[in-house]
Amino acid sequence: MTSDITLFVNPTAGRGRAARAAGPAARALREAGHRVRTVLGHDADDALRCAREAVAAGTGALVAVGGDGMISLALQAVAGTGTPLGIIAAGTGNDFARTFGLPVGDPAAAARVVGRTLAAGGARAVDLGLIDRGPATPARWYGTVLASGFDSRVNDRGNRMRIPAGRFTYDLAILAELAAFRPVPYRLTLDDGRVVDTEATLVAVGNGTSYGGGMRICADARTDDGLLDVTVVGDCDRTTLIKVFPRVYKGTHLSHPKVTTHRVRSLTLDAPATTGYADGEPLGPLPLTVTCVPGALRLLAPPQEQHPRTTPSASRR
């Protein structure tokens, strides 16, 4: 089955990797018999407008070419519409693609996955998180992790640095923030009505497992269970945080005594002078409420075997 496909490209993602990836991706899709048009946009708002117009016009799929930021933008256009989303991962972190086992850094291979899945009519139903910051701010969808606390302060600092972006910037920001950071008072209001007041180093709310290019902060999160996994890293001194943080790359930090977890359908998150980030994109200061919306996205990805749960849930199903 052939269809009209809209290629949604961020030409600056990954230091220009997305622009270079668009060509091979488009060729592979055309070789599979699909008609391809490309949407760029002058800026994020214009690009999102163009993507929404393509969805409203009945495009057979929106295929995002870039990193997690571009995918986040694409989610705002397709979530809840039934229009499937394809991923050509060409950014820096690519956590969304990693979560679903999609090719990273190989645009032709990623496009072939999109083409095969479209031909088979096999788009997967995927949960998304929906963020509500009040009536004055539009709700926002996200697919991987909502970060706050130490990790959001690292992002804040990294965004202020006047050096090239990428993994090196993130690592420098971690080191700088370690020297200055102190735990902050959080209030978590869980979906069963419980209120958790705690001093925490960070709180992450995962629909997916990872952020920051493979840091498995919510290692047990699933994208098809209608639930969000909440990881709370408690009141840590710098020495403890330095010891715990490297374990995030394998997800083994979840067993540390300073880490607690919850599994919820929704929660409200609040902490003073703390920014939230979702899919690596800034949301603004807390508070916010986040809800898991089951099956909000149709994703052009092959079926994936889910990993077993390894940690107990502190919240009801």
Side-chain angles (χ1 to χ4, degrees), residues 87-157:
I87 304 297
I88 311 297
T92 302
N94 301 309
D95 285 287
F96 194 95
R98 296 175 198 277
T99 294
F100 295 99
L102 294 168
V104 173
D106 189 338
R112 286 192 291 270
V113 169
V114 169
R116 286 196 301 268
T117 310
L118 269 175
R124 292 171 54 187
V126 172
D127 302 343
L128 294 176
L130 184 61
I131 301 159
D132 181 359
R133 295 188 52 232
T137 305
R140 185 172 184 87
W141 299 94
Y142 79 100
T144 56
V145 175
L146 190 160
S148 69
F150 176 77
D151 38 13
S152 64
R153 285 176 165 81
V154 168
N155 270 315
D156 286 342
R157 186 180 290 271

Side-chain angles (χ1 to χ4, degrees), residues 124-127 207 222-227 304 306:
R124 292 171 54 187
V126 172
D127 302 343
N207 179 61
R222 295 181 177 179
T223 57
D224 64 354
D225 63 355
L227 300 169
Q304 187 177 17
Q306 292 284 5

Side-chain angles (χ1 to χ4, degrees), residues 6 55 59-63 78 81-86 118 123-124 297-300:
T6 301
V55 170
T59 186
L62 187 70
V63 180
V78 300
T81 68
T83 298
L85 177 67
L118 269 175
R124 292 171 54 187
L297 174 68
R298 293 181 65 221
L299 182 67
L300 295 171

